[in-house]
């Protein structure tokens, strides 16, 4: 009893200490010998939680989409700083540059996809993912309304999410130009499901063509494959299909090998018109040798289940040709949920959602957009030329000295990337070359008119960025860096000077760096346009394509699967089973 009362008194004496558990070690002697007796009093922290009122709750970041831009953003974002939620109807990331290979079985569909949950697990912070589709964005109340993508939760699959920051990475849809019959009778090539449908349809065309009940004309119609659009996707699909037919299907269906025809329709004068002219010419010549018919200067005006009707621009002639399968790859357009959002933020008259150089949606400061769903509305330098001159003229003399000119040019090059492009085009070594007058003489000072003249042609170099995976990935990475440095750059801005206002911009503006582009042309040949005006074509370029695309896979799992698929195709050929 005495020992017990001692423990109780000791425990009460220690109650005032901040420790949540108290341990008394007392060495006592008993009749049988010495020993150690331990007495502890512990209390669960959950009974008396400590709340720090000074810790602000994490800001909510909602990301819509898991394509190139969204996945790049999530991979590089420090999610421990934010409460991050991702909404996408597809629970995977697809390596879309290899979609044409999936259509013909060169690469299997599962080899180029990585589950979203696997990707976000690698982030050191917690990221929540919801497999659902955003059906509406409420910009005024900072809410997104979503609907489940599973289709079996009747009445319970709709929900809404609040956000402090919203990242739009929802991509785009195929542009049909309102051509009659396109949606009903054409295949698109935007996602894995599209590629799988095309693969099955190719097999169906050949299986139908060998039926004994068909006439020769019907066989030729079933085996006429039409590709509409002469861009990289259309050209690569036509090349993949030609290889598939020549290397595999003619051996399996020898009776109809002479009835197969591939036609590529392009509204412009050349295919691959965004590439160097040398590549465009090389591709057209190779397709001509391979027997792929290229019809340039033709516009499709309607499509039925049996015929495609087009108009020849040069002559106005209208002609119809039968088809077995049509793949439509003519560009992109804005999806409905973004179109509705554009109406809310005052961009209803635009065709594409406009963002500034920091990837913020114009008219909505807390919403960012990346990838195919938007375009950067680069500000013209001539719109700010007077403000720039006033900011540079520190002594209000009405003229700029060379020192003042050099001081402001550093910020101009950061704020207006078209100036740097203009200088490269004119082969100007540095911006002091702009200081020269029209006769090439160095000036002592420059007034507002001379300043305007020096920079008047820079805006001619403004170009919209292409809707490619490379652009989207770089935008996602850039935006993640901005989010990771949000607090740091709030106190110490790193961006260029604000010419209309005071201080500096919080971040450096987004700057796209082009690493080149490939165009596989079939027959183990490819063309590449790389930085430094370097153009490469032929078999060696195809091996370069293999190495680059293998290295760009998002995980070692997909990298191994893609390489094994290529190896399997070399050894065993492509699989034409309808499964």
């Amino acid at each position: 009893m005495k020992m017990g009362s001692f423990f109780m008194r000791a425990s009460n004496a220690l109650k005032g200490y901040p420790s949540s558990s108290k341990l008394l070690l007392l060495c006592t002697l008993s009749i049988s010998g010495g020993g150690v007796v331990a007495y502890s009093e512990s209390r669960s922290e959950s009974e008396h939680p400590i709340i720090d009122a000074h810790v602000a709750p994490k800001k909510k970041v909602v990301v819509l989409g898991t394509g190139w831009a969204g996945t790049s953003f999530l991979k590089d974002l420090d999610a421990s700083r934010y409460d991050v939620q991702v909404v996408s109807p597809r629970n995977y990331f697809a390596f879309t540059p290899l979609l044409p290979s999936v259509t013909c079985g060169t690469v299997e569909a599962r080899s180029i996809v990585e589950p979203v949950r696997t990707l976000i697990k690698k982030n050191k912070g917690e990221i929540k993912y919801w497999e659902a589709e955003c059906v509406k964005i409420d910009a005024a109340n900072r809410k997104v309304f979503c609907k489940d993508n599973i289709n079996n939760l009747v009445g319970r699959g709709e929900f809404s999410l609040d956000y402090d920051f919203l990242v739009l990475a929802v991509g785009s849809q195929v542009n049909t130009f309102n051509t009659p019959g396109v949606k009903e009778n054409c295949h698109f090539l935007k996602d894995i499901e599209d590629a799988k449908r095309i693969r099955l349809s190719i097999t169906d065309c050949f299986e139908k063509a060998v039926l004994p009940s068909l006439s020769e004309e019907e066989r030729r119609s079933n085996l006429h494959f039409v590709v509409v659009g002469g861009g990289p996707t259309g050209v690569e699909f036509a090349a993949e299909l030609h290889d598939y037919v020549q290397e595999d299907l003619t051996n399996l269906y020898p009776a109809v090998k002479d009835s197969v025809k591939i036609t590529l329709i392009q509204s412009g004068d050349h295919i691959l018109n965004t590439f160097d002219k040398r590549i465009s010419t090389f591709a057209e010549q190779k397709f001509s040798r391979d027997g792929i018919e290229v019809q340039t200067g033709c516009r499709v005006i309607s499509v039925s289940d049996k015929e495609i009707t087009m108009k020849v621009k040069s002559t106005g002639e209208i002609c119809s040709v039968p088809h077995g399968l049509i793949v439509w790859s003519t560009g992109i357009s804005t999806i409905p949920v973004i179109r509705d959002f554009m109406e809310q933020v005052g961009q209803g008259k635009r065709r594409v959602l406009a963002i500034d150089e920091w990837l913020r949606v114009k008219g909505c400061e807390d919403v960012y957009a990346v990838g195919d769903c938007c375009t950067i509305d680069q500000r013209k330098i001539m719109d700010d030329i007077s403000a720039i001159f006033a900011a540079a003229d520190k002594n209000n003399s009405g003229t700029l000295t060379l020192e003042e000119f050099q001081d402001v040019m550093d910020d101009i090059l950061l704020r207006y990337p078209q100036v740097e492009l203009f200088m490269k085009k004119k082969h100007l070594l540095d911006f002091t070359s702009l200081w020269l007058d029209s006769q090439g003489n160095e000036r002592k000072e420059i007034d507002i008119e001379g300043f305007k003249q020096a920079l008047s042609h820079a805006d001619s170099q403004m170009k919209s960025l292409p809707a490619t995976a490379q652009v989207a990935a770089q935008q996602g990475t850039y935006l993640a860096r901005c989010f990771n440095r949000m607090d740091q750059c709030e106190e110490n801005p790193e961006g260029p000077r604000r010419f209309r206002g005071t201080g500096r911009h919080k971040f450096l503006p987004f700057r796209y760096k082009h690493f080149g582009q490939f165009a596989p042309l079939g027959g183990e040949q490819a063309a590449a346009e790389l930085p430094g005006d370097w153009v490469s074509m032929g078999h060696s370029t195809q091996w370069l394509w293999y190495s680059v695309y293998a290295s760009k896979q998002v995980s070692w799992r997909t990298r191994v699967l893609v390489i094994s698929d290529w190896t399997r195709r070399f050894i065993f050929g492509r699989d034409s089973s309808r499964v």
Side-chain angles (χ1 to χ4, degrees):
M1 292 295 293
K2 290 182 179 179
M3 186 65 69
S5 63
F6 173 79
F7 285 141
M8 293 300 296
R9 288 196 302 271
S11 176
N12 290 332
L14 291 171
K15 279 184 180 178
Y17 286 81
S19 161
S20 60
S21 69
K22 307 167 185 79
L23 179 67
L24 300 179
L25 295 178
L26 302 175
C27 295
T28 63
L29 294 175
S30 63
I31 298 174
S32 58
V36 178
V37 178
Y39 173 85
S40 71
E41 176 189 48
S42 63
R43 293 180 181 174
S44 171
E45 293 184 2
S46 60
E47 294 179 8
H48 301 286
I50 299 174
I51 301 175
D52 189 348
H54 299 289
V55 177
K58 293 180 180 180
K59 291 193 174 182
K60 299 177 181 178
V61 177
V62 174
V63 182
L64 302 182
T66 52
W68 280 94
T71 302
S72 297
F73 174 76
L74 293 170
K75 282 177 63 179
D76 292 333
L77 178 68
D78 182 0
S80 63
R81 295 171 175 265
Y82 301 95
D83 177 7
V84 185
Q85 301 182 76
V86 184
V87 178
S88 175
R90 299 176 185 86
N91 69 346
Y92 58 84
F93 164 79
F95 191 85
T96 52
L98 285 178
L99 284 179
S101 298
V102 175
T103 63
C104 298
T106 306
V107 172
E108 293 297 327
R110 286 193 175 274
S111 299
I112 65 168
V113 298
E114 187 73 12
V116 169
R117 295 187 183 278
T118 302
L119 292 173
I120 62 178
K121 272 184 65 179
K122 298 176 182 178
N123 198 301
K124 62 182 180 181
E126 182 185 6
I127 299 177
K128 303 182 185 74
Y129 167 73
W130 318 117
E131 185 178 341
E133 181 178 4
C134 176
V135 294
K136 185 175 178 60
I137 301 168
D138 186 351
N141 296 307
R142 294 187 176 185
K143 280 181 178 289
V144 292
F145 296 89
C146 309
K147 184 178 180 181
D148 79 277
N149 198 42
I150 306 171
N151 300 322
N152 61 0
L153 297 174
V154 180
R156 293 183 296 152
E158 296 180 356
F159 60 94
S160 64
L161 299 173
D162 298 322
Y163 66 83
D164 294 304
F165 298 111
L166 177 62
V167 178
L168 302 176
V170 292
S172 57
Q173 63 185 4
V174 175
N175 191 352
T176 65
F177 299 98
N178 296 319
T179 306
V182 170
K183 289 184 178 179
E184 298 81 6
N185 302 298
C186 294
H187 288 275
F188 304 132
L189 192 49
K190 284 283 291 177
D191 197 17
I192 286 290
E193 297 303 320
D194 297 330
K196 291 164 70 175
R197 281 191 289 267
I198 292 173
R199 183 176 180 180
L200 293 178
S201 296
I202 293 172
T203 302
D204 289 345
C205 287
F206 275 85
E207 291 294 347
K208 283 189 287 185
V210 297
L211 292 175
S213 58
L214 268 64
S215 65
E216 183 61 28
E217 183 180 352
E218 288 173 324
R219 287 192 177 92
R220 291 187 180 277
S221 296
N222 271 304
L223 295 177
H224 184 202
F225 301 96
V226 179
V227 183
V228 182
T233 301
V235 167
E236 186 172 350
F237 170 71
E240 280 280 356
L241 179 59
H242 175 266
D243 286 355
Y244 187 27
V245 170
Q246 295 299 316
E247 297 172 6
D248 299 283
L249 295 179
T250 54
N251 298 324
L252 299 174
Y253 306 91
V256 295
K257 65 179 182 180
D258 295 328
S259 301
V260 181
K261 182 180 180 181
I262 302 173
T263 301
L264 179 63
I265 300 174
Q266 165 72 341
S267 61
D269 295 331
H270 298 279
I271 63 174
L272 297 177
N273 51 20
T274 59
F275 282 71
D276 188 279
K277 187 177 179 180
R278 291 168 288 180
I279 292 178
S280 178
T281 302
F282 178 80
E284 290 173 353
Q285 291 173 349
K286 185 181 186 307
F287 277 12
S288 178
R289 293 193 302 269
D290 291 341
I292 300 174
E293 183 179 354
V294 177
Q295 296 187 7
T296 57
C298 296
R299 182 172 64 88
V300 176
I301 57 178
S302 67
V303 181
S304 69
D305 60 340
K306 296 185 183 301
E307 290 185 332
I308 178 170
T309 304
M310 51 191 170
K311 181 179 181 180
V312 181
K313 291 182 177 180
S314 59
T315 63
E317 178 188 359
I318 295 178
C319 58
S320 298
V321 293
H323 66 82
L325 178 146
I326 300 176
V327 173
W328 186 276
S329 178
T330 59
I332 58 176
S333 62
T334 304
I335 64 175
V337 67
I338 297 297
R339 175 61 60 190
D340 176 72
F341 174 69
M342 291 168 64
E343 294 284 350
Q344 297 180 46
V345 297
Q347 295 192 30
K349 295 182 179 180
R350 294 184 59 92
R351 290 189 302 169
V352 186
L353 180 66
I355 57 176
D356 64 17
E357 298 87 340
W358 292 268
L359 310 186
R360 295 173 303 204
V361 172
K362 292 200 167 185
C364 202
E365 289 291 313
D366 52 358
V367 180
Y368 297 81
V370 285
D372 297 356
C373 68
C374 59
T375 184
I376 296 178
D377 188 15
Q378 176 64 49
R379 189 166 181 83
K380 294 181 179 180
I381 190 171
M382 294 310 293
D383 291 343
D384 296 331
I385 196 71
S386 298
I388 296 171
F389 186 87
D393 187 12
K394 297 177 181 178
N395 57 4
N396 297 320
S397 63
T399 59
L400 299 182
T401 62
L402 179 59
E403 183 180 349
E404 289 174 327
F405 183 80
Q406 290 175 328
D407 183 54
V408 76
M409 280 303 298
D410 291 332
D411 289 307
I412 287 176
L413 291 174
L414 288 176
R415 181 67 178 82
Y416 307 95
Q418 62 265 37
V419 175
E420 185 176 353
L421 294 175
F422 171 73
M423 292 172 59
K424 286 182 178 179
K425 184 178 181 180
K426 295 296 182 180
H427 304 290
L428 303 178
L429 298 178
D430 54 46
F431 50 76
T432 56
S433 302
L434 298 172
W435 184 255
L436 306 177
D437 60 21
S438 56
Q439 283 77 37
N441 301 317
E442 187 173 335
R443 319 181 204 212
K444 293 183 179 180
E445 292 182 333
I446 190 171
D447 58 12
I448 181 65
E449 294 304 319
F451 191 64
K452 288 180 180 179
Q453 182 183 1
L455 299 170
S456 60
H457 299 292
D459 289 333
S460 64
Q461 297 303 307
M462 292 175 60
K463 295 179 181 178
S464 298
L465 296 177
T468 62
Q470 190 175 168
V471 173
Q474 290 188 31
Q475 288 180 341
T477 300
Y478 164 83
L479 189 59
R481 177 184 178 275
C482 291
F483 271 68
N484 294 342
R485 294 168 53 84
M486 190 86 69
D487 295 336
Q488 180 180 345
C489 291
E490 191 76 48
E491 299 178 0
N492 300 299
E494 64 180 13
R497 186 190 318 182
R498 294 181 184 270
F499 294 114
R500 293 183 179 273
T502 58
R504 307 186 75 84
H505 289 279
K506 190 186 299 184
F507 304 109
L508 292 169
F510 172 72
R511 186 69 61 91
Y512 170 64
K513 186 174 182 180
H514 186 59
F515 292 105
Q517 52 187 343
F518 286 93
L521 302 173
E524 293 302 311
Q525 294 191 61
E529 187 179 73
L530 301 173
D533 196 31
W534 179 41
V535 171
S536 175
M537 295 169 285
H539 294 285
S540 60
T541 308
Q542 179 68 33
W543 286 100
L544 178 62
W545 179 86
Y546 283 133
S547 62
V548 170
Y549 275 35
S551 67
K552 291 296 182 182
Q553 297 299 313
V554 295
S555 70
W556 273 104
R557 184 189 72 85
T558 56
R559 189 171 294 120
V560 170
L561 288 174
V562 166
I563 294 174
S564 65
D565 283 347
W566 287 334
T567 305
R568 169 189 52 76
R569 195 268 298 177
F570 272 113
I571 299 173
F572 302 108
R574 300 168 181 85
D575 184 4
S576 62
S577 303
R578 196 189 190 285
V579 292

